[in-house]
Amino acid sequence: MSTDSCMRHEPHLRRYVNKLDARHVALKLQSSCDEIKSAGVVLRGGGEHRLQHIGHAHGQEYFRAIVPAAHRIEYAFRLHACGIDRWIRPAGPDSWFAYDPATHEAFETPAWGRDAVFYQIFPERFCNGDPANDPKGVKRWGTKPALRNFMGGD
């Protein structure tokens, strides 16, 4: 895990380290600092790959770099954020994150799901037929739908 309070990288989780194939890995960094001017993955022994901004959710910024990694690599993150230069490392200034492709499996979307369209149905958005079985916090029918409100659903 990273040691910077507003940055997060957990190499044991697929959401941060994702083997793409036998030769590449996607390394991701999460940040609560929205003033990142530049960011990269630095490989021990040479090489740097730019982190690209891939999204924003719930006050967090997400960055990713696709890095060649046919063999074990060691890496750290270097960025300019919130007005200062920073290194993101697992445990102090001389430590490096490690990735070994032999210990990770690549994720491949199953053939049946590659071109599929998925729908998510929210029954709690339908009329409330029985208020007796409502969970706590049910809103009045007709309330504007929001991320975390419910209006019944039976």
Side-chain angles (χ1 to χ4, degrees), residues 130-143:
D130 183 4
N133 67 5
D134 289 353
K136 241 181 170 177
V138 169
K139 302 293 182 194
R140 184 180 57 77
W141 178 252
T143 302

Side-chain angles (χ1 to χ4, degrees), residues 16-36:
Y16 295 100
V17 175
N18 191 4
K19 181 178 183 177
L20 301 176
D21 56 36
R23 301 172 56 103
H24 298 90
V25 63
L27 301 175
K28 298 176 188 166
L29 182 68
Q30 176 182 336
S31 171
S32 60
C33 176
D34 61 356
E35 297 179 24
I36 294 179

Side-chain angles (χ1 to χ4, degrees), residues 32-100:
S32 60
C33 176
D34 61 356
E35 297 179 24
I36 294 179
K37 303 298 182 204
S38 64
V41 175
V42 176
L43 301 180
R44 188 175 199 168
E48 185 166 353
H49 300 271
R50 189 172 78 82
L51 282 167
Q52 296 180 335
H53 184 260
I54 58 171
H56 173 89
H58 308 293
Q60 300 291 311
E61 302 294 330
Y62 295 88
F63 298 86
R64 176 184 70 187
I66 296 175
V67 176
H71 305 287
R72 186 179 191 278
I73 61 170
E74 292 182 315
Y75 63 95
F77 297 95
R78 177 170 43 196
L79 50 137
H80 185 81
C82 303
I84 60 173
D85 290 323
R86 300 176 181 207
W87 281 88
I88 309 303
R89 299 174 180 266
D94 294 324
S95 64
W96 294 83
F97 294 106
Y99 168 76
D100 184 350

